[in-house]
Amino acid sequence: MLTAGYVILLMMSVAFARAALDLVRRFLQDHDMVDLNFRGERIPTACGLLLPLLLAAEVAVRLIADRAVTAGGTGPTVAAAQDAVVFWTYGLGVGLVAFVGFIDDAMGVKHVKGLSGHWSEWREQRVISTGVVKAGGTAIAALWFVLPISRNESIWQIVCQIVMLALMANGVNLLDVRPGRALKVFFLLFAAIAVEATASGYTSWYGWQGALPYVLPVLAGACALFRPDLQGKLMIGDSGANVLGFAAGCWSIMFCSAALQIAMLAACVLLHGLAWRSSLSHAIERHPLLLWLDLLGRGRT
């Protein structure tokens, strides 16, 4: 159950994330990691790099805490040791997704977009695009995360979780073609995960306090990125969009029931099928409610 303490902790984390974001933006601008926004202004891209950096800071804090426990002469409990395995697996998986996403931001060909675009690039020119490398890295990260934490799941449930993770990462990235759109979807995903986890009782495995190291760095970073992304002052890039989707998928596996995971997998398959056949932006524009949500906060410009 969320309390005032958790809200205060989130606010402090967001303040720290905003300070870190200023450094990330300056670094990207200094190294010419910029692109044109809808106004024709040169703005930093790949600012989603903030998310894995915040998670790395959380890893450092946890490492210091673990060393303090060891120095105190009390070893970790069995539950704490199991949680540590899951945490390191999660952290390395997110790090790999961020790394291959940053490669695509830094080296990718900008005119090659979507699944059909990368397929055409291979079919016509026999060129393995950075998007294909990113997809391969994300699939490896999904395997890396799911297999060690599998308990009594069937082989089909494990396969569904791996596919769902890979599609979640790419699905949020497919939506990241308008200011703020990917982050809006991420916040909706987080809300659905939080509500379902609380209702199903799956949070009892970790408790909200145990979930904080997984959720807080990414959530705080997303809050810090939201307003400047919505205003077209930065781009989160593949470095951020893929991490948002992958992290949300990991949370659904850790904290939620199989029913929500299956629903998210079905939504991802539908989204990718639609993206293959036509433009997602055109599909959004044809539905008044989706268009209203898409334009909320930024207007038709």
Side-chain angles (χ1 to χ4, degrees):
M1 182 177 180
L2 294 178
T3 64
Y6 289 137
V7 174
I8 293 173
L9 181 59
L10 176 60
M11 293 173 63
M12 293 173 60
S13 299
V14 171
F16 175 78
R18 285 174 175 165
L21 178 59
D22 290 337
L23 298 177
V24 171
R25 293 172 70 172
R26 191 180 310 164
F27 171 83
L28 293 171
Q29 288 174 325
D30 290 344
H31 290 81
D32 203 32
M33 286 283 294
V34 296
D35 205 346
L36 297 178
N37 67 1
F38 59 90
R39 301 188 192 95
E41 302 167 339
R42 290 168 61 84
I43 60 174
T45 186
C47 288
L49 193 62
L50 172 70
L51 303 175
L53 292 177
L54 292 175
L55 184 58
E58 179 66 36
V59 168
V61 170
R62 181 150 185 165
L63 184 61
I64 293 172
D66 289 346
R67 286 185 175 272
V69 169
T70 303
T74 58
T77 63
V78 174
Q82 291 175 344
D83 181 63
V85 172
V86 178
F87 181 75
W88 296 116
T89 303
Y90 168 77
L92 289 173
V94 171
L96 177 57
V97 171
F99 175 69
V100 294
F102 185 75
I103 289 177
D104 200 23
D105 285 331
M107 303 171 58
V109 179
K110 301 302 181 184
H111 69 270
V112 179
K113 299 287 186 182
L115 300 174
S116 58
H118 292 294
W119 169 247
S120 298
E121 187 80 356
W122 165 252
R123 185 182 59 187
E124 296 171 4
Q125 303 184 29
R126 289 296 187 267
V127 173
I128 299 177
S129 67
T130 53
V132 174
V133 174
K134 180 184 66 178
T138 303
I140 292 172
L143 283 165
W144 171 265
F145 176 76
V146 172
L147 293 181
I149 69 171
S150 300
R151 289 176 170 80
N152 300 318
E153 291 89 346
S154 67
I155 184 64
W156 293 111
Q157 188 172 352
I158 293 172
V159 170
C160 286
Q161 289 175 346
I162 292 171
V163 174
M164 183 268 289
L165 265 184
L167 294 182
M168 281 280 290
N170 192 60
V172 175
N173 185 52
L174 288 175
L175 293 165
D176 187 34
V177 292
R178 295 291 187 274
R181 181 183 292 175
L183 284 162
K184 288 177 182 177
V185 171
F186 167 76
F187 289 129
L188 290 174
L189 287 171
F190 170 73
I193 290 168
V195 170
E196 204 277 343
T198 303
S200 66
Y202 269 59
T203 48
S204 61
W205 183 27
Y206 289 90
W208 282 114
Q209 185 175 356
L212 282 178
Y214 301 89
V215 175
L216 191 59
V218 178
L219 181 60
C223 291
L225 288 164
F226 183 58
R227 185 176 180 182
D229 181 40
L230 192 63
Q231 294 174 340
K233 295 181 178 179
L234 58 77
M235 298 179 188
I236 63 173
D238 292 7
S239 311
N242 283 278
V243 167
L244 292 173
F246 186 84
C250 289
W251 302 342
S252 71
I253 292 172
M254 288 188 290
F255 310 135
C256 298
S257 65
L260 181 65
Q261 297 169 32
I262 293 172
M264 293 172 71
L265 173 61
C268 285
V269 171
L270 180 63
L271 179 69
H272 281 76
L274 183 60
W276 182 274
R277 297 182 59 184
S278 62
S279 166
L280 291 177
S281 292
H282 291 165
I284 290 172
E285 290 166 2
R286 289 196 296 267
H287 293 81
L289 178 59
L290 294 179
L291 180 60
W292 177 80
L293 288 171
D294 190 40
L295 297 177
L296 185 64
R298 65 177 171 88
R300 291 186 176 273
T301 305

